[in-house]
């Protein structure tokens, strides 16, 4: 079987599963699997489409195709995902970085630049860092900032540190901590977080990639608001005056998150939309 024949076979195999997974793109995924096994670029595969696959390659491809046909996310199969143009290792211990979270990075950068004149060495905290995606994106864009990423899962912290080393970023560090638990008297100019915010009864937990992701990184009590509330309530203890908290949340949670900010006496909470036009990121300033 050559490249062209395998791609056709793989695409047909995956198309049979699109009803169970509407996010599956059979043609793109088949090509990515072939690139991963052959170590050849998309253009090379196209140019040399008559190249015959050997037995080892066919065996590897069969295993990967079977995993994707069952709906396993491509990021877990390939072991990596791009975020903010940075290649990141991923594992089943962490969420898969998503494009919508890049909106949080954009808002955080806007707030960071507003405070750069006041603080030459910005102190930034990323709560629930996972793969380190947010912290590493900010570290890449803000070389003079000092950034800490924390996560309660040791496996996530190990993975984030591997990504830091791979990207050779020296202005970010990762630690194990259950939210603010190990930070004691540290204070920051900017705190960012993409915490668990999905209701345990949300039907979307049975669809697409989230079926394979760790529930602990997805689900929160109080209709998905428990961790958001905990962060909003406690963050002032860890912020300098005029510090900012930037949070990602569910597309129907903006009004509830704004209400929580107001309940805990934050100033003027604001919400921004993601690339799909849904409310996704809310932030506020602590002036007390």
């Amino acid at each position: 079987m050559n490249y062209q024949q395998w791609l056709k076979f793989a695409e047909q195999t995956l198309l049979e599963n699109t009803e169970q997974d509407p996010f599956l793109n059979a043609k793109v995924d088949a090509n990515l699997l072939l690139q991963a096994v052959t170590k050849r670029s998309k253009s090379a595969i196209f140019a040399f489409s008559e190249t015959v696959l050997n037995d080892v390659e066919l065996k590897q491809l069969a295993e990967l195709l079977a995993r994707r046909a069952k709906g396993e996310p491509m990021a877990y199969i390939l072991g990596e995902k791009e975020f903010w143009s940075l290649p990141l290792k991923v594992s089943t211990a962490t969420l898969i970085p998503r494009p919508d979270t890049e909106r949080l990075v954009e808002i955080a950068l806007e707030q960071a630049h507003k405070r750069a004149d006041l603080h030459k060495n910005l102190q930034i905290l990323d709560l629930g860092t996972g793969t380190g995606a947010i912290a590493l994106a900010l570290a890449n864009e803000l070389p003079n900032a000092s950034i800490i990423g924390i996560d309660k899962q040791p496996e996530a912290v190990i993975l984030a540190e591997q990504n830091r080393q791979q990207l050779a970023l020296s202005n970010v560090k990762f630690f194990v901590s259950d939210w603010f638990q190990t930070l004691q008297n540290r204070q920051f100019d900017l705190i960012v977080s993409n915490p668990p915010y999905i209701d345990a009864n949300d039907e979307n937990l049975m669809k697409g990639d989230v079926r394979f992701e760790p529930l602990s990184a997805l689900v929160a009590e109080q209709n998905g608001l428990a961790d958001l509330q905990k962060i909003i309530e406690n963050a002032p203890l860890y912020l300098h005056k005029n510090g900012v908290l930037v949070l990602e949340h569910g597309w129907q949670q903006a009004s509830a998150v704004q209400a929580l900010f107001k309940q805990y006496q934050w100033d003027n909470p604001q919400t921004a939309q993601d690339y799909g036009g849904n409310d996704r990121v809310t932030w506020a300033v602590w002036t007390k």
Side-chain angles (χ1 to χ4, degrees):
M1 185 179 287
N2 62 31
Y3 291 173
Q4 185 177 17
Q5 291 167 333
W6 188 86
L7 285 171
K8 185 177 180 180
F9 163 75
E11 187 176 346
Q12 290 174 339
T13 301
L14 293 176
L15 281 172
E16 295 171 2
N17 293 273
T18 52
E19 289 185 9
Q20 288 81 12
D21 186 354
F23 302 99
L24 188 151
N25 187 319
K27 189 167 188 172
V28 171
D29 291 354
N31 216 297
L32 286 171
L33 294 176
L34 188 57
Q35 289 176 57
V37 169
T38 62
K39 304 294 190 286
R40 304 191 81 167
S41 67
K42 184 178 180 179
S43 58
I45 288 171
F46 178 78
F48 302 98
S49 60
E50 300 301 318
T51 303
V52 176
L53 291 155
N54 62 44
D55 290 343
V56 173
E57 290 171 330
L58 286 170
K59 185 174 183 293
Q60 291 177 335
L61 286 167
E63 292 171 354
L64 298 184
L65 183 61
R67 290 169 64 184
R68 186 58 183 137
K70 292 177 182 176
E72 186 175 345
M74 287 294 293
Y76 288 158
I77 294 171
L78 301 178
E80 64 178 25
K81 177 75 173 180
E82 185 178 281
F83 179 85
W84 202 259
S85 298
L86 303 174
L88 300 178
K89 294 181 180 180
V90 299
S91 79
T92 53
T94 66
L95 288 184
I96 299 167
R98 288 170 168 77
D100 286 341
T101 303
E102 293 190 359
R103 278 296 284 143
L104 184 150
V105 174
E106 290 175 355
I107 299 299
L109 286 172
E110 290 174 8
Q111 296 301 318
H113 289 311
K114 286 180 181 179
R115 283 153 183 79
D117 294 336
L118 301 175
H119 306 282
K120 291 184 179 180
N121 183 20
L122 283 171
Q123 305 291 315
I124 300 174
L125 172 65
D126 175 24
L127 291 167
T129 196
T131 60
I134 297 169
L136 293 166
L138 293 174
N140 190 60
E141 297 291 336
L142 301 168
N144 294 322
S146 295
I147 300 168
I148 289 176
I150 61 174
D151 201 290
K152 68 178 181 180
Q153 301 294 343
E155 299 92 339
V157 173
I158 291 170
L159 185 66
E161 173 59 19
Q162 289 174 349
N163 283 325
R164 184 199 69 79
Q165 292 178 15
Q166 178 177 288
L167 297 169
L169 292 168
S170 60
N171 58 332
V172 57
K173 296 180 180 179
F174 295 103
F175 302 103
V176 175
S177 180
D178 188 356
W179 298 129
F180 300 99
Q181 193 174 59
T182 64
L183 293 174
Q184 279 87 32
N185 299 317
R186 294 291 298 268
Q187 287 193 305
F188 302 88
D189 304 296
L190 175 64
I191 298 176
V192 298
S193 183
N194 175 20
Y197 56 72
I198 299 177
D199 183 0
N201 297 315
D202 193 319
E203 62 181 17
N204 289 308
L205 289 170
M206 305 304 294
K207 300 177 182 178
D209 288 355
V210 295
R211 295 172 295 165
F212 294 83
E213 294 179 287
L215 282 176
S216 61
L218 292 165
V219 172
E221 297 179 357
Q222 296 171 220
N223 299 318
L225 294 170
D227 289 315
L228 287 159
Q229 179 174 348
K230 186 180 294 185
I231 294 169
I232 291 169
E233 179 182 2
N234 290 286
L237 297 170
Y238 302 90
L239 277 173
H240 294 298
K241 184 178 179 182
N242 296 318
V244 184
L245 173 60
V246 185
L247 295 171
E248 180 173 334
H249 51 73
W251 67 281
Q252 293 178 308
Q253 293 176 324
S255 59
V257 173
Q258 287 206 16
L260 285 170
F261 270 116
K262 292 172 184 175
Q263 177 184 337
Y264 291 101
Q265 301 184 339
W266 292 77
D267 281 358
N268 190 29
Q270 300 178 63
T271 297
Q273 287 70 47
D274 60 24
Y275 304 127
N278 298 308
D279 289 339
R280 185 64 62 188
V281 180
T282 296
W283 70 97
V285 180
W286 183 256
T287 60
K288 307 296 186 291

